[in-house]
Amino acid sequence: MTATETAENAGSGVQGAPLFQLEGVGFEISGRTILDDLDLMLEPGRVHGLIGPNGSGKSTLVKLLARQAHPRSGHIGFSGRPIDAYREREFARQLAYLPQTPPPTDGMTSRELVALGRYPHHGPLGRLGANDEVAIEEAMVRTGTGEFARRPVETLSGGERQRVWLAMMIAQGARCLVLDEPTSALDVAHQAEMLELVRRLCDDHDHSVVIVLHDINMAARTCDRLIALEGGKIVADGPPAEIVEPQMLERIYGVRMGVFSQPGTGAPIGYVA
């Protein structure tokens, strides 16, 4: 980002404020409660994992955080301000969102897709400037996507496509990344690769991350904090070592599970008993 963009982004929130602050947040669809009176505080500079069974409200929650939907009740604060107080482009300079099913790329090359991340900084009719080109190049280097910059996105493998989408989010310059099941269609190797990239963004580049994951072991390996939802309510919240234990996992998923420690690291590994 340019010095001007950095200053603008820094002034968009309140220094020292929580990343997100939810108070009494509820959401319904056709009279059916999806989220029920949620209170939640997320800290900046950490990887927060949302876990839980299908239909528990995880995707709805990240849509609310990304302003893709609006709560029926309650309040959401983002970086010390009401989330709806941000103008559209101002918010996009602060937060990047990757849905479960990304939109079609319509024959775009990988580099063209990554370049779309610069939209919040110059608008739909603006030309890419030197700072934009630097941001695009850096994003592709970080994600290892430069080698297929000229290839159409639809010709890439699932793992390669997800890395390109992540590169677009990085090029956007946002410090907060919200990802909804980015590994759901990937094999184990590409899941690990994607999540290692996410982890490095937090550790090396001071990003904040909220990510929906189904694999409890991948979530425990990647995240600083796990928040489990079930029936639209938070049923567990804490560091992975507190969540990945037999009684807690059975409470979350409704099946008997065992846990053992990974050799060498001691990290907890859950399995269906």
Side-chain angles (χ1 to χ4, degrees), residues 16 59 62 71 129 141 173 176 193 200:
S59 292
V62 295
V141 168
C176 176
E193 180 182 58
R200 285 204 303 271

Side-chain angles (χ1 to χ4, degrees), residues 8 67 81 84-93:
E8 184 176 33
R67 293 206 321 186
R81 294 171 55 190
D84 289 333
Y86 290 83
R87 299 184 303 275
E88 182 178 352
R89 286 176 60 192
E90 178 189 18
F91 187 71
R93 289 192 290 266

Side-chain angles (χ1 to χ4, degrees), residues 99 101-105 165:
T101 305
T105 53
W165 280 106

Side-chain angles (χ1 to χ4, degrees), residues 216-237:
I216 185 62
N217 295 319
M218 287 290 190
R221 175 185 178 186
T222 304
C223 302
D224 300 301
R225 175 181 171 193
L226 298 178
I227 299 134
L229 283 84
E230 203 284 319
K233 293 180 177 291
I234 295 172
V235 296
D237 181 356

Side-chain angles (χ1 to χ4, degrees), residues 57-272:
K58 304 182 299 297
S59 292
T60 298
L61 177 54
V62 295
K63 286 178 182 176
L64 295 180
L65 300 182
R67 293 206 321 186
Q68 302 299 303
H70 300 280
R72 299 293 185 265
S73 60
H75 167 81
I76 301 177
F78 175 61
S79 193
R81 294 171 55 190
I83 196 168
D84 289 333
Y86 290 83
R87 299 184 303 275
E88 182 178 352
R89 286 176 60 192
E90 178 189 18
F91 187 71
R93 289 192 290 266
Q94 300 294 313
L95 183 146
Y97 169 61
L98 182 64
Q100 280 188 42
T101 305
T105 53
D106 296 328
M108 283 187 289
T109 66
S110 298
R111 195 180 192 284
E112 288 169 339
L113 177 57
V114 176
L116 290 182
R118 298 305 297 166
Y119 165 79
H121 302 281
H122 60 67
L125 301 179
R127 295 182 177 179
L128 294 176
N131 290 326
D132 299 309
E133 298 291 350
V134 168
I136 293 165
E137 180 64 24
E138 288 183 350
M140 299 194 81
V141 168
R142 283 191 206 172
T143 54
T145 51
E147 63 184 285
F148 36 82
R150 297 180 181 274
R151 287 178 55 186
V153 177
E154 61 263 28
T155 69
L156 304 178
S157 70
E160 291 167 344
R161 280 197 301 273
Q162 289 298 75
R163 282 161 54 198
V164 171
W165 280 106
L166 183 59
M168 189 200 74
M169 298 173 77
I170 296 170
Q172 192 170 323
R175 309 308 297 174
C176 176
L177 308 181
V178 176
L179 305 97
D180 190 358
E181 298 188 41
T183 62
S184 61
L186 305 182
D187 61 33
V188 172
H190 285 108
Q191 287 182 42
E193 180 182 58
M194 181 73 173
L195 294 177
E196 285 169 7
L197 285 171
V198 169
R199 183 71 252 179
R200 285 204 303 271
L201 286 172
C202 181
D203 292 341
D204 300 341
H205 302 284
D206 198 30
H207 282 67
S208 305
V209 179
V210 182
I211 184 168
V212 176
L213 292 169
H214 271 299
D215 187 317
I216 185 62
N217 295 319
M218 287 290 190
R221 175 185 178 186
T222 304
C223 302
D224 300 301
R225 175 181 171 193
L226 298 178
I227 299 134
L229 283 84
E230 203 284 319
K233 293 180 177 291
I234 295 172
V235 296
D237 181 356
E242 293 182 5
I243 304 301
V244 186
E245 62 90 24
Q247 291 76 24
M248 186 67 75
L249 292 178
E250 183 173 357
R251 179 185 177 191
I252 295 168
Y253 294 105
V255 295
R256 290 186 59 192
M257 296 187 70
V259 176
F260 66 90
S261 297
Q262 182 180 38
T265 68
I269 304 292
Y271 62 93
V272 176

